[in-house]
């Protein structure tokens, strides 16, 4: 396995492609072998990192990375909608070497098409935009077998068995850490393990490459060194510290409306009702004060932590059932 530091090894035309990766792809093409380039999502999640101390900016409330937005120019948590100003210096080491990172499948495909324009090679992008139903998934098998380069999301690791794969590359490992969720690191460990170690045996891969801007990041080092015991202990410690499952139950009430004002008004009333039911203060009930917008609707959330949440939620069962804009999600 090669761990490539993108701060030092990158192509001048695209900083997300190391020269090491491009040389390996070209070698695979010469040897009539396939190259698989893996990204966690077809769209982009952007984050702010410090090149000097390897720090990733996270939400203080949720311990997940903050997503960098241009409009408004803020860092926003996609779990609780907490907002922070975009800093000019690192809050840990005071360095000005802050970098916004993001990459997506279409961007990778476009670069490769341009880069190999003079060569007769087949590039296939395998994601939910291309494979939308079972019929398209079945027809993709022929394209997969005939492709020189496959750009894929997690779909590529599930149910596809094809040979002659010479290279598997994780384009940007830390991008897995940008997905909002309290169990993000565990999903990262699972995805990469499935892709690189189980997938490499299944496809008989001769080379694996992991690219990152954060080679010294603790979670990335743990994953690349295959130190599962250390990862397991650290993860349990974080779950206990932030009162996540299995140490506490957790549920999210999420309300959406095309009017931001009405969405906030509804969730505030629901929060008041829950606080009245929580007279003994057993439950931790947190309401997001900032909305996030998706598909032209504004979302506000209430996060509940403690035990026997289902019994507690039954008190507002009628509110949930009669309002299709209100959803309830239990976390495990």
């Amino acid at each position: 396995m090669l761990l490539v530091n993108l701060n030092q090894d990158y192509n001048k035309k695209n900083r997300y492609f190391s020269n090491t990766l491009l040389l390996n792809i070209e070698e695979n093409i010469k040897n009539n072998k396939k190259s698989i380039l893996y990204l966690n999502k077809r769209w982009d999640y952007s984050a702010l990192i410090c090149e000097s101390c390897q720090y990733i900016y996270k939400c203080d409330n949720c311990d997940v990375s903050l997503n960098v937005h241009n409009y408004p120019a803020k860092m926003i948590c996609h779990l609780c909608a907490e907002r922070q100003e975009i800093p000019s210096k690192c809050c840990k080491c005071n360095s000005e070497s802050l970098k916004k990172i993001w990459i997506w499948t279409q961007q990778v495909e476009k670069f490769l098409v341009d880069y190999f324009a003079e060569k007769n090679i087949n590039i296939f992008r395998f994601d939910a935009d291309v494979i939308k139903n079972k019929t398209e998934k079945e027809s993709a098998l022929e394209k997969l077998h005939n492709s020189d380069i496959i750009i894929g999301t997690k779909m590529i690791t599930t149910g596809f068995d094809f040979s002659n794969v010479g290279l598997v590359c994780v384009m940007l490992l830390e991008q897995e850490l940008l997905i909002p969720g309290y169990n993000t690191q565990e999903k990262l460990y699972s995805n990469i393990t499935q892709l690189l170690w189980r997938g490499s045996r299944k496809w008989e891969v001769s080379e694996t490459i992991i690219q990152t801007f954060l080679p010294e990041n603790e979670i990335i080092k743990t994953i690349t060194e295959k130190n599962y015991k250390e990862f397991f202990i650290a993860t349990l410690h974080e779950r206990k510290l932030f009162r996540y499952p299995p140490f506490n139950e957790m549920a999210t009430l999420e309300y959406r409306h095309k009017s931001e004002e009405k969405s906030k008004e509804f969730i505030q009333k629901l929060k008041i009702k829950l606080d009245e039911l929580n007279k003994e203060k057993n439950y931790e009930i947190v309401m997001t004060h900032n909305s996030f917008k998706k598909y032209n609707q504004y979302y506000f959330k209430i996060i509940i932590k403690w035990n026997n949440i289902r019994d507690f939620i039954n008190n507002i069962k009628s509110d949930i059932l009669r309002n299709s804009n209100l959803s309830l999600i239990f976390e495990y």
Side-chain angles (χ1 to χ4, degrees), residues 232-248:
F232 180 75
I233 293 171
T235 299
L236 279 181
H237 175 73
E238 287 187 3
R239 283 200 175 207
K240 187 174 183 179
L241 180 65
F242 288 93
R243 301 176 68 183
Y244 289 133
F247 300 98
N248 290 104

Side-chain angles (χ1 to χ4, degrees), residues 110-141:
K110 185 180 185 306
F111 173 78
L112 289 172
V113 168
D114 293 340
Y115 188 83
F116 292 107
E118 297 180 2
K119 295 184 178 181
N120 185 26
I121 65 169
N122 294 317
I123 300 171
F124 182 52
R125 175 163 56 88
F126 189 88
D127 61 27
D129 283 337
V130 177
I131 314 299
K132 297 179 181 178
N133 53 52
K134 185 178 180 181
T135 303
E136 290 177 346
K137 190 172 182 179
E138 292 172 353
S139 66
L141 284 172

Side-chain angles (χ1 to χ4, degrees), residues 172-185:
L172 189 62
L173 183 57
E174 57 266 35
Q175 193 168 12
E176 292 268 351
L177 294 171
L178 312 185
I179 307 300
Y182 72 93
N183 56 352
T184 294
Q185 292 185 358

Side-chain angles (χ1 to χ4, degrees), residues 91-105:
C91 62
K92 295 294 182 182
C93 69
N94 211 35
S95 169
E96 294 182 359
S97 300
L98 297 177
K99 178 180 292 183
K100 178 184 175 183
I101 57 168
W102 79 103
I103 187 173
W104 59 97
T105 52

